Amino acid sequence: MNTTKLITDYQGLIEGGQAYNWQLILSLGEVLFGKPVFSIGLAHFSFILVLLTALRLSRLVMSRSWSWVVVWLLALNPSLSFHYLYDEKVDLGFTFIILSVALLLIEFWSTENKLAASATESQRKLPFGLSQEQGMLLLAGWLLGFAFGIKYTG
């Protein structure tokens, strides 16, 4: 929370030191609302995002009832429940980003096979001549780099 406070005090990025990816996200609470309580709230809210992402990811491979069992087991797992009950560290943000990348790639590749028959490659071009698969891999790589920066700060 010290880096978050420094970002708020300087009204901008701070120089030197190590990477502070997650602190940039947490500083939004204090910069936008002016109270550190919102930064702590964002850290705790990330657990709900982890649970929602895990629910969506598990729904891709199992039934609804088993997906809820997976979410409850994840919520009761001591290695994660410690972070949302007692400690506001970077691990929940890291878990959310990693699960989001997995969800993004799995959903993309499962729907890409369905869309491949209906659309030609020329209709699915992104800027700079990238195909959709290259764009998705570029986004996944950027998010994984962001997740590495999150864990690097912790």
Side-chain angles (χ1 to χ4, degrees):
M1 293 300 288
N2 190 27
T3 308
T4 303
K5 181 79 171 124
L6 287 174
I7 291 171
T8 304
D9 290 344
Y10 291 162
Q11 293 296 314
L13 299 177
I14 57 175
E15 295 180 14
Q18 59 185 10
Y20 48 90
N21 294 0
W22 189 240
Q23 285 85 352
L24 286 174
I25 301 295
L26 291 183
S27 68
L28 286 176
E30 200 163 338
V31 168
L32 293 176
F33 302 108
K35 296 182 181 176
V37 152
F38 290 102
S39 295
I40 295 169
L42 281 174
H44 284 294
F45 179 69
S46 61
F47 183 70
I48 295 171
L49 295 175
V50 166
L51 292 181
L52 290 175
T53 308
L55 177 66
R56 180 68 183 135
L57 195 57
S58 63
R59 285 288 294 137
L60 293 175
V61 294
M62 56 186 73
S63 68
R64 178 176 289 166
S65 58
W66 283 109
S67 296
W68 282 108
V69 170
V70 167
V71 168
W72 279 109
L73 288 175
L74 186 66
L76 297 175
N77 186 354
S79 65
L80 283 178
S81 63
F82 169 76
H83 294 289
Y84 76 87
L85 289 174
Y86 302 111
D87 200 12
E88 295 88 24
K89 294 222 177 191
V90 298
D91 294 313
L92 292 176
F94 175 74
T95 306
F96 170 66
I97 298 292
I98 294 295
L99 286 177
S100 296
V101 169
L103 179 64
L104 187 74
L105 290 176
I106 289 171
E107 281 191 344
F108 175 73
W109 279 316
S110 65
T111 59
E112 184 186 53
N113 295 333
K114 296 174 190 172
L115 294 176
S118 64
T120 63
E121 186 65 30
S122 62
Q123 295 172 338
R124 301 182 310 145
K125 287 287 186 182
L126 296 176
F128 306 110
L130 294 175
S131 67
Q132 279 191 339
E133 184 171 328
Q134 289 171 334
M136 189 59 63
L137 288 174
L138 188 67
L139 177 63
W142 181 79
L143 286 173
L144 287 173
F146 188 77
F148 176 75
I150 288 173
K151 196 60 182 170
Y152 172 70
T153 60

